[in-house]
């Protein structure tokens, strides 16, 4: 690991530790906002969304920044999630560098580009090798590579946030 990677990972670890120490003092909404902002900052993403997987459906729990349109509370079928690429079935991540034409929802509209993004990343959150959630990261500018060194910690943070969600 290079010095820059070590510094970034230790900074993310320290921020995660701070979040977990204050989680009981803060309300669930603040923990979620702080956690998703931490994920966005660590990945240089413009947007971050957290999904929980329940009953063969991926349900969006939160997004940062908060989306202008209300989220779909019914969720997205796992046979489609994410972005119609469900057959890929990733265990670590899927980076789509040119995601502009991907549908953001099963109906096909809007596209990822219409949401203001050009690249997106799917980080599955697994428990005992089963998907329990996912983090989606979006970048307005093309994002051509993903260093999964920090992905492990981001998935751990996502799992922590899922555990803090009511219901």
């Amino acid at each position: 690991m290079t010095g820059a990677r070590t510094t970034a990972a230790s900074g993310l670890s320290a921020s995660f530790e701070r979040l977990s120490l204050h989680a009981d003092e803060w309300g669930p909404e603040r923990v979620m906002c702080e956690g998703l902002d931490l994920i966005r900052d660590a990945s240089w993403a413009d947007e971050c969304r957290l999904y929980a997987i329940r009953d063969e459906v991926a349900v969006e729990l939160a997004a940062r920044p908060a989306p202008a349109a209300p989220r779909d509370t019914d969720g997205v079928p796992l046979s489609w999630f994410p972005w119609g690429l469900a057959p890929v079935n990733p265990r670590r991540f899927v980076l789509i560098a040119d995601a502009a034409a991907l549908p953001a929802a099963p109906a096909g509209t809007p596209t990822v580009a219409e949401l203001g993004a050009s690249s997106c990343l799917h980080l599955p959150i697994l428990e005992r090798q089963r998907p329990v959630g996912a983090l989606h990261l979006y970048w307005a500018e093309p994002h051509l590579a993903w260093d999964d060194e920090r992905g492990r910690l981001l998935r751990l943070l996502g799992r922590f946030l899922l555990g803090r969600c009511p219901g």
Side-chain angles (χ1 to χ4, degrees), residues 91-111:
R91 289 308 195 201
R92 289 181 45 220
F93 70 91
V94 173
L95 172 67
I96 312 295
D98 184 9
L102 286 179
T109 56
T111 64

Side-chain angles (χ1 to χ4, degrees), residues 14 67 83 116 120:
W83 311 298
C120 56

Side-chain angles (χ1 to χ4, degrees), residues 104-161:
T109 56
T111 64
V112 170
E114 290 170 330
L115 296 177
S118 67
S119 297
C120 56
L121 177 77
H122 171 77
L123 287 172
I125 301 169
L126 305 175
E127 218 170 78
R128 295 187 183 116
Q129 300 304 314
R130 294 193 53 194
V132 294
L135 287 167
H136 283 181
L137 304 176
Y138 296 90
W139 294 269
E141 297 298 319
H143 200 80
L144 303 177
W146 174 253
D147 179 2
D148 204 40
E149 281 293 317
R150 79 178 57 129
R152 182 187 61 77
L153 194 52
L154 295 179
R155 286 186 288 272
L156 185 61
L157 179 51
R159 190 175 304 121
F160 172 79
L161 294 173

